Amino acid sequence: MLLIAVALYFLLACLVSWMVLFPAGRAFVVQALAGAGQRFQQRLGRAARRKEQGVAALRRSGGASLRGVGAIIRRKYLLCIGGALLISLPPLLALFAGRKTELGGFDVSTREVNAQVAALLEGEHLVPPPALPPLAFATVELQQERPMLVSASRDWTRMNDAYTQRLLMVFKIMKERNGYDMAILEGYRSPERQNVLASMGANVTNAAAFQSWHQYGLAADCAFLRNGKVVISEKDPWAMRGYLLYGEVAESMGLTWGGRWKMMDFGHTELRLPGVMKRSSK
């Protein structure tokens, strides 16, 4: 490879020296370049002429084709009209059918339907878990976190069925997917009890009677079961992880989660049905 490069370099050097030192060499190179340029121009001219001839032939053939099509249409215009109608009939029917549907008042929702909610509405009616004994809610820890919890209602039948089915599906997903057993702390809450809790201060609740979804059976406070014991403390890392998972699953079921509020209530969820009440707060 090196020898070839040296040989080419030697030949190039000889050629350059011949052109520089001898006028005949320069004249020979100039004539060779001029001849190559003339041949290149001739080739370009022939290519341009062939292109022009091809375009002219294409125009002639296109004009002849159009004249032939026009003659066919004039001779067989009835057949052409029938074919055009046959081709345009399906899209016309689809267009009129779509307008008829709109005029008929059918509203096709474009919103994405949550797969879990759809399965819940079409699936079997979920059954609440067995009730825990009242003593399970009488521990000192629970009393400090939730005043008057022992007397709270945990009766699933007093709550709205649309809400309870979603909440039971949340319980099911939390158990099967995340490994958390859950328990309800309080469901339906009477107006009288709501006022008593409100009188204890904003750290308990800032909602008076009929300002909470608890009065309509559309809210519940929930916690976790670990080794048969109710765990409610947010200081427990295991419970705090469970609350975050619980909020994620609850929101996927169309519920409102209290963990996003200014006064966070991680165990609280509610179903805000339209027309139930004008103002809502925990």
Side-chain angles (χ1 to χ4, degrees):
M1 191 67 183
L2 181 60
L3 292 176
I4 295 175
V6 172
L8 291 175
Y9 177 76
F10 177 75
L11 291 175
L12 181 62
C14 292
L15 180 61
V16 171
S17 301
W18 181 51
M19 291 174 57
V20 172
L21 298 176
F22 300 96
R26 292 195 296 273
F28 174 79
V29 172
V30 170
Q31 290 177 358
L33 293 175
Q38 290 177 357
R39 289 192 296 272
F40 182 70
Q41 290 179 355
Q42 291 173 358
R43 290 177 181 175
L44 288 178
R46 289 195 296 269
R49 286 193 296 273
R50 286 196 299 269
K51 184 177 181 180
E52 292 177 355
Q53 293 173 358
V55 170
L58 181 61
R59 289 176 178 174
R60 290 193 297 270
S61 63
S65 299
L66 290 175
R67 289 192 294 273
V69 170
I72 293 174
I73 292 175
R74 286 192 297 272
R75 289 196 304 269
K76 301 181 179 181
Y77 66 93
L78 292 177
L79 183 61
C80 293
I81 293 174
L85 291 175
L86 185 62
I87 293 173
S88 60
L89 185 61
L92 288 175
L93 289 176
L95 177 62
F96 285 116
R99 290 183 177 178
K100 183 177 180 181
T101 301
E102 293 176 2
L103 294 176
F106 295 100
D107 181 17
V108 180
S109 175
T110 58
R111 293 178 297 177
E112 183 179 356
V113 178
N114 186 283
Q116 293 175 344
V117 175
L120 171 65
L121 297 178
E122 296 179 1
E124 62 178 336
H125 196 83
L126 299 178
V127 179
L132 295 175
L135 290 178
F137 304 94
T139 64
V140 175
E141 176 191 358
L142 295 182
Q143 291 301 313
Q144 291 176 347
E145 294 286 341
R146 296 276 178 171
M148 300 175 58
L149 183 59
V150 176
S151 60
S153 172
R154 287 173 281 276
D155 187 352
W156 289 83
T157 62
R158 302 193 68 181
M159 295 191 293
N160 185 290
D161 188 64
Y163 171 66
T164 59
Q165 287 300 301
R166 284 169 170 77
L167 186 60
L168 287 171
M169 179 61 76
V170 173
F171 279 25
K172 179 181 176 67
I173 294 172
M174 286 294 294
K175 171 64 176 178
E176 295 177 354
R177 183 187 300 172
N178 301 317
Y180 281 85
D181 284 309
M182 300 201 66
I184 185 172
L185 300 177
E186 182 172 13
Y188 170 78
R189 184 183 295 160
S190 68
E192 295 76 18
R193 179 179 172 83
Q194 186 69 44
N195 282 331
V196 171
L197 292 175
S199 66
M200 295 180 178
N203 62 316
V204 178
T205 180
N206 57 8
F210 298 108
Q211 294 177 351
S212 170
W213 293 94
H214 281 281
Q215 273 83 79
Y216 305 92
L218 291 168
D221 300 319
C222 301
F224 309 103
L225 287 174
R226 182 172 59 190
N227 300 324
K229 180 182 178 181
V230 178
V231 180
I232 192 175
S233 176
E234 298 162 8
K235 298 179 182 179
D236 188 314
W238 176 84
M240 192 61 218
R241 176 180 177 273
Y243 281 128
L244 297 178
L245 293 171
Y246 174 64
E248 179 182 339
V249 177
E251 289 178 337
S252 74
M253 298 301 301
L255 302 179
T256 298
W257 177 47
R260 297 195 183 277
W261 295 346
K262 184 177 180 180
M263 190 179 79
M264 292 179 290
D265 192 350
F266 291 103
H268 178 91
T269 59
E270 57 192 34
L271 179 60
R272 297 184 175 184
L273 295 180
V276 175
M277 66 176 176
K278 295 182 179 180
R279 178 178 177 269
S280 63
S281 59
K282 172 66 173 69

